[in-house]
């Protein structure tokens, strides 16, 4: 993670040709958004009104906020870092991230790699920057502010002693929670007497989710040093990338902005159709002379249409207004947006609310109730079921904690010869209940190596229950799977129909009169014993 | 009064505005009073569906319970299942339940009424099992909460009934079709479902149903179709020289394979 302090100011100073020693402040909505160190020495702080700032420092250079300028100037830094390391991704102007493992082994250590990167940026652009290394985007951003290297797995202990206000810092660094929700949360935590990040991290997570809600649960995970992104980002299907031939070629920024908006909308239409959200976006431009420029943007939060459009516009701006020599020699002919990394969109992608048969109001109410229940029974107490591939009824269902990514255990699209056809058992005991099966004469029924029953089943004894008389059976069906692994091997399945044991279902059978009641079971023979794998109740 | 009614109507017509009465019952102003169920089941229910605010106890069949959830969840309602750690999710999906909207709380812990109550606040269908040992007063209070929040509470009852259920569906006299003596496979069952309750449901109704609903096709009825996963046997003299015919299962369809007198194959 590489961080350039006061980037808006640095970008403005470069753009206007000012010295880094001049007092400069960038204003947004009449308030100071960022200021140079000289201005800071004169008593100027973030959030100050313009009048007051000018009163404190008479020769202050006042510059308007311009995100396009920030992004354009930052491109030079990205190029400089790319000269010494690969995998550069821009988080936002002023902050970029790259995997440290490659440069670290090449330069001999994370510290050395950091030095080389800082040197490269200083030589190429004459700018100062700081480098921090940590496990996740969040911890790395805070490490970069301090210029420290956090060893692998130590993010939690690095974060613990930091003051709680640092959580809100991350908002300005990465843009996460920029709607003010984090600031409000941090304020609340401070008033509750939690002074450090560690104090907050020490709270049990179910309590946090029931008291502060879903967003706070996320912050809580970050505070514990757990990576904020789901551990299994999905590789998106290739057809989600979109291309646009630009005719005539684009060489002006205002035209580029217009193109960026329409492209972003098309990209998001494709993503929502797949229920995905983009967290890393690769922007590629091909010029008329065949030059190909690519830059990857990484985002801590799923990109919105506006966020995507902004990044495309900034990037084109950066390329088209680069200093001569680095600027492409002709207009951009082709523009490609590829979602490099996607994650499942939140349970309810906005655009799909009314399409999937569900209603937004119902879904939101249900989600709120589930968050509350999760607080009562613990995060693993509320489960979601995912159907996948497999042969047995238990194997095909995976239960994951509510809110986790819904990944099936086995690929449902793969062929599963020997899979049981419907109907499936309505009750699937976990683990399967041991059972005994006897023939007419009382001898136990087994299955031979050729999958033949050794006798006609007559009596079923489920452990802990009364004997049942068998009236019909189907099978046995062989299951030979995964003989190469410990959980595989040879099994056989048998469906049984029995008479209900006398006295079962006390109240009802008396009222209902004489009809006989049948029950059905799915038995599996494994390791020389029978187990009830399912009941068709 | 007329003026008030008109202004309430205009309020509720506005997007995102819930009127006070709408908030009190926990449902949108335009929400239908009855959640849909399959046509076969509608005959059982005096309201032609699951009436919001009612408590419908189900006895003796998980399959019946799952088919009650099917229509409503496909239409966008949510159905939470509490205290059923072994519920067959695959069977639920086959019955037509939208599994995505079926959160499971397998072990609600000691505070079952608290968990069910919290779910009733936001989820329209709540299935609850394993409530033995919870006092009758607390169970009655849950029914009252369902009434107040316009949710449907579906207790799965065993020996003890649910106190104050509006309707109880009990399943009996199940007869299975499919398996013979080693051939065929489970296809469907016919059950006799009896509904009795209070108020509009006071007159008992009895219906014979096929579960899982709509599974029967003419080919299936014979009990032998190509979908059978395993092996049908033709005994050729001794057990060791039998002919294994693949029925679209372990071996590619149509192929036959003769297994010679085997050695080394142990029993399963």
């Amino acid at each position: 993670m590489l961080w350039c302090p006061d980037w808006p100011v640095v970008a403005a100073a470069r753009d206007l040709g000012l010295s880094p020693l001049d007092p400069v402040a960038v204003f947004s909505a009449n308030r100071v958004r960022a200021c140079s160190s000289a201005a800071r020495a004169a008593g100027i702080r973030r959030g100050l009104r313009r009048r007051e700032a000018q009163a404190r420092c008479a020769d202050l250079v006042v510059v308007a906020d311009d995100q396009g300028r920030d992004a354009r100037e930052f491109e030079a830094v990205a190029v400089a870092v790319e000269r010494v390391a690969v995998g550069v991704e821009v988080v936002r102007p002023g902050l970029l991230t790259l995997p440290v493992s490659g440069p670290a082994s090449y330069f001999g250590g994370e510290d050395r790699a950091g030095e080389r990167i800082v040197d490269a940026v200083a030589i190429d652009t004459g700018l100062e920057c700081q480098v921090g290394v940590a496990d996740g985007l969040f911890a790395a951003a805070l490490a970069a502010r301090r210029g420290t290297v956090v060893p692998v797995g130590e993010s939690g202990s690095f974060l613990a002693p930091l003051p709680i206000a640092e959580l809100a810092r991350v908002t300005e660094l990465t843009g996460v929670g920029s709607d003010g929700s984090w600031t409000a949360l941090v304020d609340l935590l401070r008033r509750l007497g939690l002074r450090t990040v560690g104090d907050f991290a020490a709270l049990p997570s179910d309590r946090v989710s029931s008291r502060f809600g879903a967003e706070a649960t996320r912050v809580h995970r970050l505070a514990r040093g757990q990576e904020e992104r789901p551990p299994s980002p999905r590789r998106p299907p290739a057809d989600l990338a979109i291309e646009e031939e630009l005719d005539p070629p684009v060489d002006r920024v205002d035209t580029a902005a217009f193109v960026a908006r329409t492209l972003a909308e098309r990209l998001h239409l494709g993503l929502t159709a797949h229920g995905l959200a983009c967290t890393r976006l690769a922007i590629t431009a091909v010029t008329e002379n065949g030059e190909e420029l690519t830059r990857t943007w990484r985002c801590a939060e799923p990109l919105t249409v506006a966020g995507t459009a902004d990044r495309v516009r900034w990037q084109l701006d950066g390329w088209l207004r680069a200093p001569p020599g680095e600027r492409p020699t002709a207009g951009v002919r082709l523009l490609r947006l590829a979602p490099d990394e996607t994650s499942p969109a939140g349970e309810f992608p906005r655009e799909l609310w009314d399409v999937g048969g569900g209603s937004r109001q119902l879904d939101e109410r249900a989600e709120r109730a589930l968050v509350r229940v999760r607080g009562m029974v613990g995060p693993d107490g509320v489960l979601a079921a995912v159907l996948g591939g497999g042969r047995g009824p238990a194997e095909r269902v995976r239960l994951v904690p509510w809110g986790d990514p819904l990944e099936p255990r086995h690929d449902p699209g793969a062929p599963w010869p020997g899979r049981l056809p419907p109907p499936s058992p309505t009750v699937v005991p976990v683990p399967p209940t041991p059972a005994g099966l006897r023939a007419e004469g009382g001898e136990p029924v087994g299955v031979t190596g050729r999958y033949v029953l050794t006798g006609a089943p007559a009596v079923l004894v489920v452990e802990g229950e009364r004997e049942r008389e068998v009236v019909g059976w189907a099978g046995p069906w062989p299951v030979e799977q995964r003989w190469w692994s410990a959980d595989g091997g040879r099994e056989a399945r048998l469906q049984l129909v029995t008479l209900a044991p006398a006295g079962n279902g006390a109240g009802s059978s008396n009222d209902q009169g004489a009809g006989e009641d049948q029950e059905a079971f799915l038995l599996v023979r494994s390791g020389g014993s029978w187990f009830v794998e399912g009941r068709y109740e | 009064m007329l003026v008030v009614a008109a202004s309430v109507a205009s309020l509720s017509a506005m997007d995102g505005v819930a009127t006070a009465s709408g908030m009190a019952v926990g449902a949108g102003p335009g929400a239908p009073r009855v959640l849909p169920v399959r046509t076969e089941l509608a005959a059982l229910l005096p309201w032609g569906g699951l009436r919001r605010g009612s408590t419908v106890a189900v006895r003796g069949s998980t399959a019946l319970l799952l088919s009650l959830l099917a229509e409503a969840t496909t239409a966008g309602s949510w159905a939470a299942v509490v205290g059923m750690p072994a519920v067959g999710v695959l069977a639920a999906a086959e019955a037509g339940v939208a599994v995505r909207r079926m959160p499971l709380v397998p072990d609600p812990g000691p505070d079952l009424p608290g968990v069910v109550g919290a779910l009733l606040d936001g989820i329209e269908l709540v299935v609850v099992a394993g409530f033995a040992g919870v006092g009758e007063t607390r169970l009655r209070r849950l029914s009252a909460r369902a009434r107040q929040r316009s949710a449907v509470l579906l207790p799965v009852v065993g020996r003890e009934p649910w106190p104050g259920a509006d309707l109880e569906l009990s399943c009996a006299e199940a007869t299975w079709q499919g398996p013979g003596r080693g051939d065929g496979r489970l296809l469907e069952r016919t059950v006799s479902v009896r509904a009795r309750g209070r108020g509009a449901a006071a007159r008992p109704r009895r219906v014979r149903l096929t579960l899982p609903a709509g599974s029967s096709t003419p080919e299936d009825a014979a009990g032998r179709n190509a979908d059978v996963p395993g092996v049908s046997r033709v005994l050729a003299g001794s057990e060791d020289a039998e002919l294994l015919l693949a029925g679209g299962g372990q071996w590619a369809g149509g192929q036959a394979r003769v297994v010679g007198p085997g050695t080394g194959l142990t029993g399963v």
Side-chain angles (χ1 to χ4, degrees):
Chain A
M1 178 74 71
L2 177 137
W3 175 60
C4 291
D6 304 327
W7 181 255
V9 176
V10 176
R14 269 172 67 88
D15 198 37
L16 302 171
L18 301 170
S19 147
L21 299 176
D22 290 337
V24 182
V26 173
F27 287 83
S28 158
N30 207 33
R31 301 266 181 182
V32 175
R33 177 164 172 254
C35 59
S36 68
S37 54
R40 201 173 295 126
I44 292 174
R45 296 286 175 269
R46 281 169 48 98
L48 217 58
R49 282 176 201 282
R50 184 169 61 93
R51 277 284 181 76
E52 193 169 357
Q54 281 173 320
R56 288 189 188 183
C57 175
D59 52 352
L60 180 75
V61 182
V62 174
V63 188
D65 187 28
D66 178 0
Q67 297 196 325
R69 178 185 62 213
D70 297 352
R72 186 168 70 237
E73 297 294 334
F74 197 63
E75 176 65 15
V77 177
V79 170
V81 176
E82 232 166 25
R83 273 198 240 283
V84 284
V86 293
V88 173
E89 294 165 7
V90 182
V91 178
R92 63 181 312 169
L95 192 72
L96 62 78
T97 163
L98 62 155
V100 77
S101 54
S105 56
Y106 185 75
F107 293 118
E110 293 174 349
D111 288 330
R112 302 270 299 275
E115 277 170 32
R116 289 299 291 261
I117 289 169
V118 172
D119 285 351
V121 172
I123 291 165
D124 285 5
T125 65
L127 292 176
E128 272 180 47
C129 61
Q130 291 182 4
V131 170
V133 179
D135 287 344
L137 196 60
F138 171 83
L142 289 177
R145 275 183 66 83
R146 288 167 177 72
T148 54
V149 173
V150 180
V152 175
E154 300 276 305
S155 290
S157 46
F158 161 69
L159 294 171
L162 301 182
I164 194 105
E166 288 292 321
L167 290 177
R169 279 268 182 257
V170 174
T171 297
E172 62 189 75
L173 282 176
T174 61
V176 181
S178 47
D179 54 350
S181 57
W182 280 38
T183 326
L185 173 69
V186 166
D187 196 39
L188 174 62
L189 293 175
R190 197 172 38 226
R191 280 183 281 131
L192 289 174
L194 300 167
R195 301 287 167 200
T196 66
V197 178
D199 287 346
F200 182 46
L203 300 179
S205 60
D206 52 333
R207 297 289 165 79
V208 171
S209 81
S210 59
R211 169 65 180 80
F212 301 107
E215 185 66 18
T217 317
R218 219 179 112 206
V219 182
H220 186 248
R221 273 175 54 189
L222 294 178
R224 291 184 157 196
Q226 290 161 349
E227 175 68 55
E228 66 261 44
R229 216 163 291 193
S232 54
R234 273 198 261 164
R235 276 269 148 195
D239 61 348
L240 285 180
I242 53 163
E243 275 187 358
E244 177 87 12
E245 291 271 357
L246 306 176
D247 190 26
V250 170
D251 51 2
R252 285 198 6 231
V253 174
D254 48 351
T255 337
F258 182 72
V259 174
R261 177 78 201 178
T262 46
L263 271 182
E265 274 168 10
R266 271 179 53 202
L267 180 78
H268 277 260
L269 218 57
L271 284 169
T272 38
H274 285 76
L276 296 173
C278 177
T279 45
R280 210 165 74 187
L281 177 74
I283 305 170
T284 307
V286 181
T287 67
E288 276 188 300
N289 293 348
E291 296 153 296
E292 190 164 325
L293 306 158
T294 300
R295 173 74 62 220
T296 308
W297 284 77
R298 168 180 279 258
C299 229
E301 286 193 327
L303 282 167
T304 58
V305 175
T308 311
D310 276 348
R311 279 161 182 82
V312 175
R313 184 165 52 81
W314 295 342
Q315 191 55 54
L316 287 174
D317 202 13
W319 283 328
L320 294 174
R321 286 166 67 170
E326 288 169 27
R327 191 185 301 183
T329 53
V332 174
R333 176 174 63 80
L334 181 113
L335 199 57
R336 185 185 308 133
L337 300 187
D340 245 17
E341 184 183 279
T342 57
S343 56
E347 264 299 287
F348 329 107
R350 270 163 214 283
E351 285 79 358
L352 289 177
W353 255 322
D354 296 324
V355 183
S359 98
R360 172 179 170 174
Q361 203 190 349
L362 289 182
D363 290 352
E364 280 180 348
R365 274 181 60 202
E367 194 69 19
R368 272 200 301 276
L370 291 173
V371 167
R372 228 173 102 207
V373 171
R374 198 160 49 183
M376 300 164 89
V377 296
D380 296 338
V382 184
L383 303 176
V386 202
L387 298 180
R391 295 186 176 84
E395 194 187 359
R396 287 174 64 186
V397 176
R398 180 166 168 244
L399 298 176
V400 296
W402 190 262
D404 276 17
L406 299 176
E407 304 265 350
R409 185 181 290 133
H410 300 302
D411 178 13
W416 294 101
R419 164 196 279 209
L420 281 176
S424 297
T426 54
V427 174
V428 181
V430 179
T433 325
L437 195 58
R438 293 203 306 266
E440 201 69 60
E443 68 274 16
V445 175
V447 179
T448 69
R450 302 259 176 248
Y451 295 109
V452 177
L453 292 178
T454 58
V459 176
L460 170 72
V461 193
V462 182
E463 194 179 74
E465 294 177 30
R466 294 188 206 199
E467 292 187 356
R468 289 177 169 87
E469 184 190 336
V470 176
V471 292
W473 71 94
W477 296 310
V479 185
E480 293 192 23
Q481 59 179 356
R482 290 194 283 282
W483 42 264
W484 56 88
S485 82
D487 67 332
R490 289 158 57 85
E491 292 179 339
R493 288 210 168 87
L494 186 67
Q495 286 177 333
L496 282 182
V497 177
T498 68
L499 293 182
N504 194 35
S508 60
S509 58
N510 297 341
D511 306 343
Q512 300 247 340
E516 67 173 17
D517 206 11
Q518 290 185 346
E519 294 179 324
F521 293 86
L522 176 67
L523 263 60
V524 64
R525 178 85 170 172
S526 180
S529 321
W530 290 106
F531 296 91
V532 174
E533 198 182 21
R535 290 163 175 253
Y536 300 82
E537 280 183 355
Chain B
M1 194 58 221
L2 238 171
V3 179
V4 173
S7 62
V8 167
S10 67
L11 263 182
S12 51
M14 282 164 69
D15 199 26
V17 173
T19 56
S21 54
M23 298 282 270
V25 296
R33 283 173 44 79
V34 174
L35 295 171
V37 294
R38 297 229 152 122
T39 25
E40 314 89 275
L41 294 169
L44 268 172
L45 304 165
W47 318 287
L50 293 167
R51 184 172 57 87
R52 287 173 187 274
S54 62
T55 301
V56 179
V58 179
R59 181 194 296 277
S61 174
T62 312
L64 175 66
L65 173 76
L66 294 175
S67 27
L68 279 173
L69 304 180
E71 278 298 294
T73 54
T74 350
S77 295
W78 286 65
V81 179
V82 181
M84 294 181 79
V87 66
V89 179
L90 197 57
E94 284 165 8
V97 177
V99 176
R100 202 178 76 76
R101 281 190 282 273
M102 188 176 78
L104 309 172
V105 186
D107 178 16
D111 187 20
L112 180 131
V115 169
V116 173
L119 288 171
L120 285 171
D121 284 351
I123 289 183
E124 293 175 289
L125 295 150
V126 179
V127 177
V128 53
F131 49 83
V134 179
E136 192 183 315
T137 333
R138 303 196 70 185
L139 298 183
R140 278 185 191 280
R141 217 172 281 155
L142 284 179
S143 283
R145 186 129 170 205
R147 203 170 307 127
Q148 189 209 347
R149 309 297 308 190
S150 288
V152 182
L153 184 62
L154 295 151
V156 177
V157 295
R159 265 170 219 295
E160 279 124 53
W162 182 276
D166 294 298
L167 185 71
E168 183 179 294
L169 303 178
S170 45
C171 220
E173 295 171 48
T175 323
W176 276 93
Q177 278 84 47
R181 297 186 68 79
D183 57 342
R185 65 175 171 92
L186 285 178
L187 293 171
E188 59 182 26
R189 86 198 90 162
T190 49
V191 292
S192 151
V193 183
R194 180 186 161 119
R196 51 177 182 174
R198 312 180 307 175
R203 190 171 61 86
R205 299 165 185 235
R206 184 181 291 222
V207 170
R208 275 198 82 75
L209 271 184
T210 307
L211 289 173
S215 67
S216 174
T217 58
E219 296 84 8
D220 279 355
R224 296 174 189 83
N225 72 354
D227 206 20
V228 175
V231 176
S232 41
R233 289 187 308 283
V234 179
L235 289 174
S238 82
E239 184 191 296
D240 271 346
E242 65 188 74
L243 183 65
L244 295 172
L245 288 173
Q250 190 85 352
W251 292 278
Q255 275 185 341
R257 140 177 144 161
V258 181
V259 181
T263 50
L265 273 181
T266 51
V268 178

